[in-house]
Amino acid sequence: MLHSRCLMSVSRSSSTMRNKVVPLSRPRLRSQFLSAGSSGFLWLLLACIAVFSMPARATAQRWPEKRANDWYRQQRWLVGSNYIPSTAINELEMWQADTFDLPTIDRELGWAENLGMNTMRVFLHNLLWQGDSQGFLHRMDQFLQVADNHHIRILFVLFDSVWDPNPKAGKQREPEPHVHNSGWVQAPGIELLQDSSRWDSELKPYIAGVIGRFRDDRRVLMWDLMNEPDNDSAQYKGIPNKGELALRLLKEEWQWARDARPSQPLTSGVWKDDWSPKSQRSAMSIFQLEKSDVITFHSYGPPGEMRRRIKSLRSYGRPIVCTEYMARPLGSTFASILPLLKHAHVGAYNWGFVNGKSQTIYPWDSWEKTYTGEPPVWFHDIFRADGSPYDPRETALLREMTH
């Protein structure tokens, strides 16, 4: 009823202007509004706009199960990698203007297309927004166009709680030789995570701006709000209550993301603990599972572990996507895991695509154990920087599974 009254009032207030022909130029339009009696009309119009917008914000909520499952049925079986170009050590170097390497991205996504991959999981960073929001959005658009040219849709990760907690914009350090992800950085950094008084001014605009810009873009598949929020990144000095702070931030971020009203589903992947509804789940896992439109998870173990994790998530009645797997020495290989995921119709994103500055061919223990050359068995990744496969049998299997 309130909406109808607003419309009637606006109609009455504008009746004196009905017989006037007003050219649609900004100066003339502004002078008409500022003329006698028209300022009240303007304020009334603005008030009505505010009233109309309130229900939209209030109704932004989790997708019903039917909508999530209908959406998933419309997708091809999702197969891809966690992607960063071989020339970037972390998400800052990937996206900053001076090091944004579109030719390399184009070439490497061409290799993905040749394998039959149809999606990639890609990490962003809040510092990219703070430094140059419009330039960042433009580069995201360029990246999405290149990905679309290769028939690849993108799952963007907005925050990440893993590795270096002290990110800095600008030139990034060189990789430490033979060390897994020696330069990857958290988003946001630990200083900002600890200061919630800055979240509304520094983090909310980033989430609202990025999702708002691409909320109806078919090239974007999903939004992953935070990667492994309660991972304590033992390789770096952390803080004892990081998980608690990350959960507080994730709750805020979820509302910011919902308020942006994306057409794509929202998610945040569970990565540890038992996830069956009757288990002793952590507060973080409960929140992630109860808020995600599409359930995502990580599993780097052998097939038995993957089956148990999928089974524990089936009872939630939602689509399931594995956004991290494949660690060869741990028994998580393409040959052992990919057919299992396809049979279960679970989306599949392995970690790592091209061996480059992230150096994820080396295992996690390279932070404690010294390596002096290429490991006999690669931990992650599929291709060398020249495009030759680490194991041609793997790339042949990928093509077979995706065609």
Side-chain angles (χ1 to χ4, degrees), residues 173-333:
R173 63 178 180 268
E174 291 301 309
E176 186 175 341
H178 317 301
V179 176
H180 177 110
N181 258 338
S182 65
W184 198 270
V185 291
Q186 294 184 32
I190 206 71
E191 179 185 351
L192 183 49
L193 180 65
Q194 291 179 290
D195 190 353
S196 59
S197 68
R198 297 165 55 192
W199 293 354
D200 271 2
S201 61
E202 298 184 38
L203 297 179
K204 182 178 179 179
Y206 158 61
I207 300 300
V210 169
I211 294 181
R213 169 63 177 80
F214 298 102
R215 66 183 178 184
D216 292 318
D217 196 320
R218 57 164 296 279
R219 301 171 300 180
V220 177
L221 179 73
M222 286 194 286
W223 300 100
D224 190 336
L225 299 191
M226 190 179 296
N227 179 62
E228 300 189 358
D230 49 350
N231 191 323
D232 61 7
S233 296
Q235 292 81 3
Y236 291 91
K237 183 179 179 180
I239 54 175
N241 64 334
K242 179 183 176 183
E244 176 187 340
L245 291 170
L247 180 55
R248 285 178 55 197
L249 175 57
L250 184 58
K251 289 178 177 179
E252 293 287 327
E253 183 193 9
W254 219 288
Q255 189 58 55
W256 302 334
R258 288 286 182 215
D259 286 347
R261 300 188 65 79
S263 61
Q264 309 94 344
L266 304 180
T267 190
S268 177
V270 289
W271 67 286
K272 64 178 182 178
D273 304 325
D274 180 357
W275 306 316
S276 58
K278 294 182 179 179
S279 67
Q280 294 295 317
R281 300 169 299 167
S282 67
M284 179 67 76
S285 294
I286 291 172
F287 181 79
Q288 291 171 293
L289 291 167
E290 290 183 350
K291 292 295 183 180
S292 291
D293 300 319
V294 171
I295 290 176
T296 56
F297 74 101
H298 301 170
S299 179
Y300 285 105
E305 177 182 307
M306 179 66 80
R307 289 191 186 93
R308 287 192 296 273
R309 295 196 162 194
I310 293 173
K311 183 179 179 181
S312 75
L313 296 172
R314 286 291 187 205
S315 59
Y316 294 95
R318 291 180 175 271
I320 302 172
V321 176
C322 180
T323 49
E324 291 187 24
Y325 79 99
M326 214 284 287
R328 294 180 183 90
L330 303 183
S332 180
T333 65

Side-chain angles (χ1 to χ4, degrees), residues 135-201:
F136 177 40
L137 292 175
H138 176 64
R139 290 188 290 277
M140 286 182 66
D141 188 66
Q142 289 180 296
F143 172 82
L144 286 168
Q145 188 55 56
V146 168
D148 190 53
N149 291 343
H150 294 292
H151 311 290
I152 290 171
R153 299 173 72 198
I154 303 301
L155 165 54
F156 280 124
V157 186
L158 291 154
F159 287 148
D160 185 8
S161 287
V162 189
W163 304 111
D164 189 345
N166 299 297
K168 292 180 176 58
K171 182 174 173 56
Q172 302 299 294
R173 63 178 180 268
E174 291 301 309
E176 186 175 341
H178 317 301
V179 176
H180 177 110
N181 258 338
S182 65
W184 198 270
V185 291
Q186 294 184 32
I190 206 71
E191 179 185 351
L192 183 49
L193 180 65
Q194 291 179 290
D195 190 353
S196 59
S197 68
R198 297 165 55 192
W199 293 354
D200 271 2
S201 61

Side-chain angles (χ1 to χ4, degrees), residues 83 85-87 104-115 353-356 378 381-396 398-399:
Y83 176 71
S86 57
T87 52
T104 293
I105 291 168
D106 188 21
R107 180 174 64 253
E108 293 175 354
L109 292 187
W111 302 340
E113 180 185 20
N114 183 258
L115 291 180
F353 190 65
V354 183
N355 176 30
W378 279 16
D381 299 327
I382 301 172
F383 289 104
R384 301 180 186 278
D386 63 2
S388 59
Y390 162 69
D391 185 344
R393 293 170 299 180
E394 291 181 340
T395 50
L398 279 159
R399 291 189 187 95

